[in-house]
Amino acid sequence: MRRHLHPLRHAWHWLGAQTLVRRGRDLELMHRAMGFATLALVTLAPLLIVIAAADPLGRGGFAAWLADGMGLSGRSARVLAEIISPPREVVGTTSVWGVVALAVFGIPFGGSVQTGYERTWSVPPGPWHRIWRQAVWLCVLTAYLYQEVLTRDALYGPERITLSLATGVVFFWWGQRFLLGGQVRWRHLLPGALATMTGLIGLRAFSYFVFTPLIVENAISYGTVGVVLVVESWLIGVGFVIFGGAMFGRWLFDHHGHRFTADLPPRTGTEPPGRGG
């Protein structure tokens, strides 16, 4: 028995999987994912609802954005639209100060992602005046989500899949670099962007097979609350993938990219290599 387990232990050690598990605990991955979901629901969702209601192209509103991201179709998508879609009059009843308040309260959402990336790469947190980076990242995120829905009816099959993959990798690649203030090199961040998109593809498949029937069942059993709970669970998965993808990219670079390790950012509280006394 030991003879058969030895190759498995050797492979586990070679992969450095125990380090990945430990980093997940240190990063409090699930806790951060739950915080991401809460902030997304109470700050990002209202902002996207206002933007979707003001969309001159009328691409189905916020519910269409959400259904597309979750991979819903048929009855489950209709149930989601019936419960979540706000009236078009939401723009007329939303004051300028209301939009500003939504944008201001959306900043902590970007801040939570920025903090997660900083913890992942062990870089010092940016000064308070870098809050503009969180605002810009939030605007680009909104534009990214909008173009995803915009291309839903314009492109089909391989063309849309290729465009979605390309724009997703570019967004998460740029997002890490931008929120980290350029403290980590581009090539170091690419594995994390690829891992994030891979995780989102897996989450979409999971959502299609699990959340699609669950939304209908919860709508019948619990009403609006049941649907919101499903959406919140999906958002937790999105947060887990975003932070976990960046963490996986850092782990992959540390353990299997040794020829680049001289360029890694120093850990917080330590001197960069070659600068010591």
Side-chain angles (χ1 to χ4, degrees):
M1 188 61 156
R2 291 182 178 180
R3 184 173 67 253
H4 294 293
L5 291 177
H6 180 72
L8 295 177
R9 285 197 297 265
H10 178 73
W12 179 268
H13 178 74
W14 180 81
L15 288 173
Q18 70 278 6
T19 305
L20 183 64
V21 174
R22 186 174 66 251
R23 284 188 176 178
R25 290 198 302 264
D26 294 341
L27 187 62
E28 297 178 311
L29 188 55
M30 182 55 69
H31 176 75
R32 289 191 179 278
M34 295 178 69
F36 174 95
T38 301
L39 286 172
L41 192 63
V42 302
T43 63
L44 182 63
L47 181 61
L48 294 179
I49 286 174
V50 172
I51 294 173
D55 181 11
L57 299 178
R59 294 290 175 168
F62 176 69
W65 295 28
L66 197 57
D68 184 70
M70 296 180 68
L72 304 180
S73 61
R75 186 180 178 187
S76 59
R78 290 194 298 271
V79 168
L80 186 68
E82 291 172 359
I83 292 178
I84 293 183
S85 290
R88 294 285 299 183
E89 289 76 13
V90 68
V91 177
T93 58
T94 301
S95 66
V96 174
W97 288 111
V99 175
V100 172
L102 286 174
V104 169
F105 286 112
I107 297 300
F109 176 72
S112 69
V113 178
Q114 183 180 36
T115 301
Y117 285 157
E118 289 169 347
R119 285 283 304 275
T120 297
W121 285 96
S122 304
V123 299
W128 69 269
H129 59 76
R130 289 189 179 180
I131 194 172
W132 68 271
R133 291 185 179 274
Q134 301 165 13
V136 172
W137 179 86
L138 185 63
C139 292
V140 177
L141 171 64
T142 304
Y144 165 68
L145 295 176
Y146 180 76
Q147 70 85 27
E148 281 293 298
V149 177
L150 199 65
T151 58
R152 180 184 57 185
D153 299 324
L155 298 175
Y156 302 93
E159 292 181 351
R160 193 192 178 210
I161 293 174
T162 301
L163 180 62
S164 296
L165 290 176
T167 54
V169 170
V170 169
F171 172 74
F172 289 109
W173 193 14
W174 168 85
Q176 291 182 83
R177 172 79 174 183
F178 187 74
L179 290 178
L180 291 172
Q183 297 182 78
V184 182
R185 292 179 180 272
W186 284 103
R187 65 174 180 268
H188 301 167
L189 299 171
L190 181 57
L194 294 172
T196 300
M197 278 307 299
T198 302
L200 289 176
I201 292 172
L203 180 62
R204 185 184 177 90
F206 177 85
S207 176
Y208 178 80
F209 289 108
V210 177
F211 289 152
T212 295
L214 196 59
I215 279 185
V216 177
E217 294 175 5
N218 279 19
I220 295 174
S221 302
Y222 307 106
T224 303
V225 174
V227 176
V228 172
L229 287 176
V230 175
V231 173
E232 181 74 357
S233 300
W234 176 76
L235 288 171
I236 291 174
V238 173
F240 191 92
V241 168
I242 288 177
F243 294 123
M247 184 187 70
F248 181 84
R250 173 69 192 271
W251 165 83
L252 187 67
F253 184 82
D254 282 349
H255 288 272
H256 304 285
H258 302 295
R259 61 182 180 276
F260 301 119
T261 51
D263 294 327
L264 274 176
R267 291 185 177 275
T268 305
T270 62
E271 289 291 332
R275 295 187 182 180

